Structures are given as structure tokens and as C-alpha cells.
Amino acid sequence: MGIPNPSDEVVQVRHGDVAGEPTVVTISCPDKTGLGCDLCRLVLLFGLNIVKGDMSTDGRWCYIVLWVVARPGRAMAMRWDLLKDRLIQLCPVAAPFGLDNHHLAAAGLHHHDHDAPAPSPNIFLLKFFCYDRMGLLHDVTRVLCELELTIRRVKVSTTPDGRVLDLFFITDARELLHTKSRREETYDKLQSVLGDSLTSCEIESATEEMSSCLQASTLLPHSAVEEMFNVEVVEEQSRSCGGLSVAMDNSLSPAHTLIQIQCGDHKGLIYDIMRTLKDCNIQISYGRFYASQNGSCEVDLFAVQSDGKKIVDQHKQRALCCRLRTELHRPLRVALVNRGPDTELLVANPVEVSGKGRPLVFYDITLALKKLHKRIFLAEIGRHVVGDREWEVYRVHLGEGDHSSLRSKIVDGVTNMLMGWDDTPPS
């Protein structure tokens, strides 16, 4: 593949000549394990859909081209310069003077800092009181997303007098929340959205005791676990899905296994494929994917195991195909359960082996409920281990009342928003 000229840009962003045409994002940098997954996750975080993609690597240098479009009805302004900066931060740094990182590492002259686990980001507690109104939580979530503040956990409670106490455990992608200017910027943005209803607002570093609250607080309802995490049921549903096909072929390449996927498109589809393969220690040498306007997607991936060999074991092939079908059929799990007089919405997504959760899930949940004119009386985010996997679980109490007649409308509305099947602009 060769080493590009050191003057070449690591990331290039080229916009279409005509409005509505995809923006082409090109990445050329040293390769590292899981880079494709991390890049696709960031594209999803910025509210973009990948409509076409090409990637290739020789194990040392990779070249990735993504054709992306903004999701319909996107409320947040697209910041292409910021996206470019964040993509560059994900890419390993090339060795100087065209030298090879692998050779330098073998000689003990180079350390793979990008392959080492990143230090845990500092956690802060955002606490504020305000008067409740429809769509409040979504508007706050949108502000935090625009500020690049990641919600790690949230606890929202409504008092009898109509006030809301919001506790957000957050991290800062810019790592500046300890500064006065960054906190004032956050205060001002929240004030602009909440107006006079905001009665107090504080940001402080989370203590060790506070950070322990990031752990899941209570057990999940047994009925919800059965409905959302029953492996046999989900696998059977994925096998019976007529528009979903995953197949492997070892006859077309002497060194690689071809993984072919045909399925319906959804928000974060390529990310779901990449995170699944990353978690299963499957490496992609060449890949191509295309999403048509009729909602179907075709993916061809030439892949090897972590030892560099083809996937020839029949049991491993069946297990990987089954895992991919399951992840693409139901990448998120949504359920509505009764908790005494209250109704609770639960949404779960798998956590990557690296510990990263899916981006913008809480944003989509709160937007869907805002459009359904449903108030949120209590909300929590926690992580639970079910079976052999860790899940990020969002629990939203919708309060008292008979929601049974609207059960399918609520579940479908939230699911469609999460999967990108709802294209109407937010209210």
C-alpha cells in the first residue's frame, strides 16, 4: 500500500457540489486495532449517516473513505471542522521521515500509545433546579451534546410543586470543565434554553463516593429481562427476518474470509457491524458497503482472525454469523413495563468490550418522548451485566396513568427514533 507523503492530510472533508449530495470524508493514517469501529462511532455521535464506504489496510497503514449525510430533521448545527479535529485525534500518529511504526516498535524505539487503554476521563456533577415543562430533559440533553459533554449517568426527579432536580454525571471531550470559562459557557447555554425557569445551577468535580453512583442502582424487573435479553428469542427472530442475510465464503480469497451482509439500513448500521467484529477479534483487511435509497444495505468484508488466518472453523463461522444477525436485527432493546402505578420505559444497548456505550441514545429517547408529548418524571442511566455481556440501560419513569393503550405507540416511537426510521423534524 505504501506510505503517503508526510504532507498529506490525515483527514480530508470534501462537500458535494450540489446540495443534498453526500460529504466525502477520507482518512489515511497508520492502522490500529478497532480504528474502523472508533471512526464509525464518532460519525454516529455527530449525527451523520454513512451511505457508502470503502476501507483497506495492509495491517500497517489504512485508507478509509466514507460518504456521509446529515440525518433528516437534525436539530444541532453540523460542525465539520470539529468533526475533522475529533477524527484526527482518533488516528495514530505516523512515524517521522516515512519510517515504519512496526519496525520502530520492534527495535524498542516507538511505543503504541494509541493501543494503550486511555485514562479514565474526569467525571463532573452538573446539578440544577428548574420548573418542569414538556420536553425539558431533551432540550437540556441537546445543549450538553452541543457542548461535547457526555452524559455518563443521569438522575432526574420531579417534586410535587412542579420543580425538577436534575443530576447529570458528565465528562468533557475537551477536558476543560475544571476551568471557570468552560463552566460559565455551560451555565450560559443552559440559561439560554431554560430561561427564568432555571433557579440554580452548579458544576463540581465528582468525588469517589459520587462516582460510585455510576454503578447500576437497582435490579432490572424480571419481566423486562425476559422480554429484552432472551437470547433464544432474539436469535430466532433474526433468523426469521427475511431481509437480513449474513454469509461467509472462503473460496474467493486465498488469505481472507469474505463476510457478506444484506440487510435493511438503520442509524449506526456500520458502527454495529464494526463493534461486533471488534468485540469478536475479527480484523478487516478490505471492506465496501453501500446503502440504497430504498432502505437496503449491502456489505462485503474481507476479514481474518486476530492470528491473521481465515475463519475456517465451522463452529466459529456459525457463531459469528449468529452474532452479526442478532446485533443487526436488534441493536437496541426497548420495553415498556408496569412498576406499580407507574409505567417505566427501558432501553438497553450493548457496551463494547472497550467499555464504550452507544452515543446519543438518551438524546433520541428524550426527543421521541417529547414528540409523543410524554413527560419524564424520573430517569436513570446505569450498566447491568446480563448473561455474559454488559449493557447500558436507560430507565425512564413516565409517571402514573394508563399508558397501556399507548404501549405500542410509545415503544414504536422510541424504537423508530433510535433506529433512524423517523424522519420528521423535531417539534
Side-chain angles (χ1 to χ4, degrees):
M1 183 175 297
I3 302 298
N5 190 309
S7 64
D8 289 349
E9 286 189 88
V10 174
V11 177
Q12 299 182 42
V13 177
R14 181 171 58 83
H15 300 289
D17 298 327
V18 181
E21 285 188 348
T23 295
V24 182
V25 178
T26 305
I27 301 110
S28 178
C29 67
D31 198 9
K32 71 168 184 176
T33 302
L35 178 61
C37 173
D38 296 340
L39 295 173
C40 290
R41 185 183 188 277
L42 185 64
V43 169
L44 176 61
L45 175 62
F46 272 74
L48 298 171
N49 287 339
I50 301 173
V51 296
K52 183 181 176 183
D54 243 307
M55 61 175 59
S56 59
T57 178
D58 59 5
R60 297 181 178 181
W61 199 274
C62 69
Y63 187 74
I64 300 172
V65 185
L66 302 175
W67 285 258
V68 300
V69 295
R71 289 201 294 268
R74 175 185 168 86
M76 294 182 286
M78 185 59 215
R79 302 168 65 184
W80 292 103
D81 289 344
L82 182 60
L83 171 64
K84 182 176 179 178
D85 289 343
R86 295 293 175 257
L87 288 170
I88 292 173
Q89 289 176 5
L90 286 177
C91 296
V93 179
F97 311 116
L99 297 176
D100 190 290
N101 281 343
H102 286 71
H103 292 163
L104 290 176
L109 300 175
H110 178 75
H111 298 284
H112 289 273
D113 295 333
H114 282 77
D115 292 335
S120 298
N122 293 325
I123 299 174
F124 295 84
L125 173 62
L126 166 64
K127 175 173 62 177
F128 62 88
F129 266 108
C130 65
Y131 287 97
D132 195 15
R133 62 172 170 79
M134 185 66 68
L136 168 71
L137 194 53
H138 173 69
D139 294 341
V140 172
T141 303
R142 178 169 56 84
V143 169
L144 297 181
C145 289
E146 291 173 348
L147 289 168
E148 292 192 283
L149 298 174
T150 302
I151 301 172
R152 298 288 299 275
R153 182 169 169 79
V154 60
K155 187 150 189 170
V156 179
S157 55
T158 306
T159 62
D161 63 353
R163 290 202 303 167
V164 175
L165 171 61
D166 286 0
L167 302 175
F168 286 87
F169 290 91
I170 55 179
T171 57
D172 185 7
R174 304 177 196 174
E175 299 183 350
L176 294 172
L177 203 52
H178 61 283
T179 64
K180 181 180 178 182
S181 59
R182 179 66 163 153
R183 294 188 183 192
E184 288 179 347
E185 179 189 18
T186 304
Y187 296 147
D188 292 343
K189 290 284 188 180
L190 288 170
Q191 181 72 56
S192 67
V193 169
L194 300 177
D196 295 336
S197 67
L198 181 63
T199 58
S200 69
C201 183
E202 300 175 7
I203 299 175
E204 59 182 297
S205 295
T207 64
E208 188 172 339
E209 292 76 16
M210 291 177 182
S211 299
S212 66
C213 294
L214 290 171
Q215 304 302 318
S217 56
T218 57
L219 295 175
L220 296 173
H222 179 72
S223 58
V225 173
E226 283 295 310
E227 179 179 349
M228 300 172 71
F229 304 109
N230 190 308
V231 177
E232 289 77 13
V233 172
V234 176
E235 288 181 358
E236 180 60 34
Q237 290 174 346
S238 68
R239 282 193 295 267
S240 61
C241 182
L244 174 59
S245 170
V246 180
M248 293 191 187
D249 192 331
N250 277 314
S251 64
L252 297 178
S253 169
H256 300 87
T257 296
L258 172 62
I259 304 174
Q260 292 183 301
I261 301 172
Q262 294 181 328
C263 59
D265 196 10
H266 68 251
K267 184 192 303 181
L269 169 68
I270 305 304
Y271 165 69
D272 287 324
I273 295 174
M274 292 299 176
R275 67 169 172 82
T276 301
L277 295 177
K278 178 183 176 182
D279 288 351
C280 294
N281 293 316
I282 300 299
Q283 300 172 0
I284 300 171
S285 298
Y286 174 76
R288 177 181 294 171
F289 33 91
Y290 173 74
S292 65
Q293 293 185 346
N294 66 4
S296 63
C297 189
E298 296 182 0
V299 183
D300 292 328
L301 304 171
F302 286 86
V304 294
Q305 301 176 127
S306 57
D307 59 5
K309 298 179 180 180
K310 300 168 70 170
I311 311 169
V312 295
D313 183 273
Q314 294 293 318
H315 175 72
K316 289 183 179 179
Q317 287 189 15
R318 286 193 295 269
L320 182 57
C321 286
C322 180
R323 177 75 174 267
L324 283 167
R325 279 197 305 267
T326 300
E327 297 296 331
L328 298 181
H329 177 63
R330 289 186 66 183
L332 301 110
R333 315 290 170 85
V334 182
L336 199 66
V337 298
N338 294 323
R339 298 294 305 275
D342 296 337
T343 301
E344 185 177 48
L345 173 72
L346 292 102
V347 177
N349 62 265
V351 176
E352 295 178 31
V353 171
S354 64
K356 296 177 183 177
R358 191 185 193 88
L360 295 183
V361 174
F362 196 61
Y363 177 93
D364 285 340
I365 294 172
T366 54
L367 177 56
L369 293 176
K370 178 181 179 180
K371 294 175 68 172
L372 290 168
H373 302 288
K374 291 295 178 183
R375 288 185 180 272
I376 297 172
F377 291 89
L378 181 66
E380 293 185 358
I381 305 173
R383 292 193 172 186
H384 298 260
V385 176
V386 181
D388 59 350
R389 301 188 66 184
E390 185 178 26
W391 296 78
E392 199 161 51
V393 181
Y394 300 76
R395 307 179 68 167
V396 179
H397 287 254
L398 303 179
E400 297 183 16
D402 182 15
H403 299 280
S404 57
S405 60
L406 299 174
R407 178 178 297 271
S408 61
K409 186 175 182 180
I410 294 173
V411 171
D412 291 346
V414 173
T415 300
N416 290 342
M417 185 66 68
L418 291 165
M419 298 291 281
W421 297 333
D422 187 329
D423 292 342
T424 55
S427 56

